[in-house]
Amino acid sequence: MNTTYLSTPETRTKLAVFYSDTLLKNVIPFWLTHGLDREHGGVLTALDRDGSLLDTDKSVWFQGRAGWMFATLYNTVERRAEWLEAARSCIEFSRKHCFAPDGKMYYSVTREGKPLRMRRYVYSEAFAAVANAAYAKAAGDARAAEDALKLFSTYLRYSFEPGVMNPKFEPTRPAKGLAPLMICIVTAQELRANLGDVTVSGRTCTEWIDASIAEIQRDFLKSDLQALMEMVAPDGSVIDHIDGRTLNPGHAIECAWFVMHEGALRGDKKLIQLGAKILDWMWARGWDEDCGGVFYFRDVFGRPVQEYWHDMKFWWPHNEAIIATLLAWQITGDEKYARWHQRVHDWSFQHFPDPEHGEWYGYLHRDGSVSQRAKGNLYKGPFHLPRMLWYCSRNALDRGNPPPGKFPG
Amino acid sequence: MNTTYLSTPETRTKLAVFYSDTLLKNVIPFWLTHGLDREHGGVLTALDRDGSLLDTDKSVWFQGRAGWMFATLYNTVERRAEWLEAARSCIEFSRKHCFAPDGKMYYSVTREGKPLRMRRYVYSEAFAAVANAAYAKAAGDARAAEDALKLFSTYLRYSFEPGVMNPKFEPTRPAKGLAPLMICIVTAQELRANLGDVTVSGRTCTEWIDASIAEIQRDFLKSDLQALMEMVAPDGSVIDHIDGRTLNPGHAIECAWFVMHEGALRGDKKLIQLGAKILDWMWARGWDEDCGGVFYFRDVFGRPVQEYWHDMKFWWPHNEAIIATLLAWQITGDEKYARWHQRVHDWSFQHFPDPEHGEWYGYLHRDGSVSQRAKGNLYKGPFHLPRMLWYCSRNALDRGNPPPGKFPG
């Protein structure tokens, strides 16, 4: 391949328009039309292929994720009243119905807002924090700004203070995960983008980002294995059991772009190199050379993994890989990333979109055929796909290490 | 198809020998050679394709399931010392290492027996109960007989006494599952087969079986939908949400043969008809007419299901369908079941066995190609496959409603 979508200013403009059009004329209208709950407020995500409702139960994660997305479009793309109103609806539903009496957020509630399930972990809080931060900026809502800080503080306490979260395992073999650190980075980045570099639980957002990246680099990044682990022992050693060996390339590639984004914002070459290294290693681990697309799980030593869906192609790792490869090309200028970007862009847009009803399918078999036709559920909704389209539409145009402040979010 | 494997006494004999040979020359030797832990006792199940160890962690379920299988072979096939010793090893490991201080059993432990994970539910107890019952008979071990009763009592208390098991969901939308009733039936059947019709928690085994079948028939069997539900509201109404609509045809077909087995034992035509009806409806729901094999999950209204692996072909639903169709043919004489038996037998033995290293793969794609090469994990070990081979090798020969007492177990 000699030319890529990123080769010339003309092709880059075309690409940016493609992302922007897909976002604003296809994906966002799908969710505004079918997902917004005009009766009870908030967003419904369990939608069938044509947008009809499969399940009225509401994901608490998605009240936050969708609220963040709509408020961010309002803040960064255009001041459309319907986006602000959608964000407000998610925030308000969340405030009214998604908190247990002890202040911890539920995982799922009924359409009307009655509690269904509480889980041990605190991702509901992290997604609500970024939604409140973006909404505070969009609406000038002081309570939302306060709530964003409180929610991030709850997130940090449950995620990093020993003993606060109910343990899933006996203390025999302690372990820690990559996910809480990644979510810490992106939550702090979004709070900072919308509220400034505020202090939460004794550290500024930037300090939380620095501490999280440092821990990832020290304990999860393995040069000898050329891999970013999903789970390690507290001292960073590899846990040689099935769960400890299981890599999630799409997740690690998401981590790669969080780190590169931070590097680009600061003009910090070390961070950019770190993110690019994670991308390089995990692309090699995750890209399916036979069928195309990104595998869901891989064993670090090439052994079988436990999860049945290990070789399926989920929508979101492809969203993350499109962002990461584009960003890596943009800030390093390495043509390899332009080629990878084109590969994952082409495979994704050939297999995931539904040409008839819009949006993307979420779950494909390894060969790219559709496994499940729904457009959303408790895990899929207006987040990964529109975030990718939004991020890439704004970042496809330029090349070369951009000055701090260039990046959204 | 005019003739089937069940058409003549000669073909039936050939089939019984095939099941028996596969059991005794392939599957059991695989687990005795690679699975038995000669160092720490008990059984290891996380084995790669060739039997090499993928993970040293031990499933508590499988200390019970394997202990039951080995003791049952000893009780019903041949008094081989190595089978009794394997059963003893599982029972002893379980006694020493699988109980928490409060008496509840763990879900997984390390190879040496240190606790890894406790779960809310009590299937560890049910599988340990049947292992102890079979081992009590095999070894004349009085403690095992006592433990079997105690374990079943714990199972019943956690499963059916409101408030004993920690709830997974908030009380907003109460629900009950098919699984606890099914496991109650088969556990009571195995206790009765090995210890007589003992009384546990105020009811005889037969009374527990009757009560469980009555509740399944009353609350889970839906004539208007022609389906056996996996989960319903406490009053038996269908819960029209994704989880409530999700059918598990292989699981329901397993229930069908538990009920038919009980009917055959008692010579009870109503139970036989009930089991056959469940089989008829759930075969129609589960059999993949395009690719062959049994789907894992189906929505009762044909909508998308949540679980990613819904169209994969797992080994165990095929084991259950082979048993159920053979048994249905045997006790009803309906040729339809002989044809179904041949279809699921042929598809299974064409796709699941590993001709090089023995045993079966566990996880195939919809089209029958291998998704994951391991022979075992926390869910797959010496249970469903050898149980099917054992049950069918003993029941492939005869036709017509057999007299009570004919059936093993």
Side-chain angles (χ1 to χ4, degrees), chain A residues 80 271 284 394:
Chain A
R80 287 199 200 171
L271 287 183
R394 302 168 62 83

Side-chain angles (χ1 to χ4, degrees), chain A residues 55 115 172-173 241 305 365 372, chain B residues 55 57 115 172 241 305 311 372:
Chain A
D55 200 326
T172 300
R173 186 187 298 146
H241 292 274
V305 294
H365 298 116
Q372 208 256 45
Chain B
D55 199 326
D57 292 345
T172 299
H241 291 273
V305 294
D311 68 358
Q372 206 254 46

Side-chain angles (χ1 to χ4, degrees), chain A residues 54-57 115-117 168 170 172-173 241-242 245 305-306 308 310-311 363 365 371-372 377, chain B residues 54-57 115-117 168 170 172-173 241-242 245 305-306 310-311 363 365 371-372 377:
Chain A
L54 279 173
D55 200 326
T56 53
D57 291 345
L116 285 172
R117 190 171 178 194
K168 185 170 177 180
E170 303 297 311
T172 300
R173 186 187 298 146
H241 292 274
I242 290 174
R245 293 195 302 262
V305 294
Q306 169 66 64
Y308 325 128
H310 64 107
D311 68 359
Y363 305 93
H365 298 116
S371 164
Q372 208 256 45
N377 53 35
Chain B
L54 279 173
D55 199 326
T56 54
D57 292 345
L116 285 172
R117 190 171 180 195
K168 184 169 178 183
E170 303 296 311
T172 299
R173 186 187 298 146
H241 291 273
I242 289 174
R245 292 196 303 261
V305 294
Q306 169 67 61
H310 65 105
D311 68 358
Y363 305 94
H365 298 115
S371 163
Q372 206 254 46
N377 53 36

Side-chain angles (χ1 to χ4, degrees), chain A residues 31-181:
Chain A
W31 292 105
L32 285 174
T33 305
H34 304 295
L36 263 199
D37 185 352
R38 286 169 185 83
E39 204 176 326
H40 298 278
V43 70
L44 297 152
T45 55
L47 305 183
D48 206 346
R49 192 189 158 191
D50 62 0
S52 62
L53 200 56
L54 279 173
D55 200 326
T56 53
D57 291 345
K58 280 177 177 148
S59 154
V60 175
W61 287 17
F62 268 98
Q63 305 314 312
R65 287 171 153 185
W68 171 83
M69 190 74 249
F70 291 124
T72 297
L73 291 176
Y74 183 86
N75 289 334
T76 63
V77 177
E78 198 183 307
R79 304 217 147 232
R80 287 199 200 171
E82 64 173 348
W83 294 343
L84 185 63
E85 169 52 24
R88 189 204 57 73
S89 182
C90 293
I91 292 284
E92 196 172 304
F93 185 88
S94 181
R95 283 177 182 170
K96 269 196 204 158
H97 303 298
C98 298
F99 289 82
D102 67 357
K104 193 165 180 304
M105 295 188 81
Y106 292 113
Y107 171 75
S108 57
V109 298
T110 66
R111 182 169 186 176
E112 299 77 19
K114 288 188 192 132
L116 285 172
R117 190 171 178 194
M118 172 62 81
R119 299 190 80 161
R120 298 175 310 111
Y121 46 74
V122 274
Y123 296 125
S124 291
E125 282 78 354
F127 300 131
V130 297
N132 275 281
Y135 183 71
K137 184 173 185 179
D141 185 304
R143 175 173 167 193
E146 262 177 55
D147 285 353
L149 271 58
K150 267 193 246 168
L151 285 159
F152 189 38
S153 171
T154 302
Y155 174 79
L156 294 166
R157 194 160 58 84
Y158 274 85
S159 298
F160 304 121
E161 266 186 45
V164 178
M165 192 182 293
N166 285 333
K168 185 170 177 180
F169 293 92
E170 303 297 311
T172 300
R173 186 187 298 146
K176 62 181 182 182
L178 176 65
L181 295 165

Side-chain angles (χ1 to χ4, degrees), chain B residues 356-371:
Chain B
E356 193 175 336
H357 298 286
E359 245 276 342
W360 278 22
Y361 298 111
Y363 305 94
L364 311 182
H365 298 115
R366 182 177 175 188
D367 66 6
S369 60
V370 175
S371 163

Side-chain angles (χ1 to χ4, degrees), chain B residues 91-113:
Chain B
I91 291 283
E92 196 172 306
F93 185 89
S94 182
R95 282 177 182 169
K96 269 196 203 156
H97 304 299
C98 298
F99 289 82
D102 67 358
K104 194 166 179 303
M105 296 188 81
Y106 293 113
Y107 171 76
S108 58
V109 299
T110 66
R111 182 169 186 176
E112 300 77 19

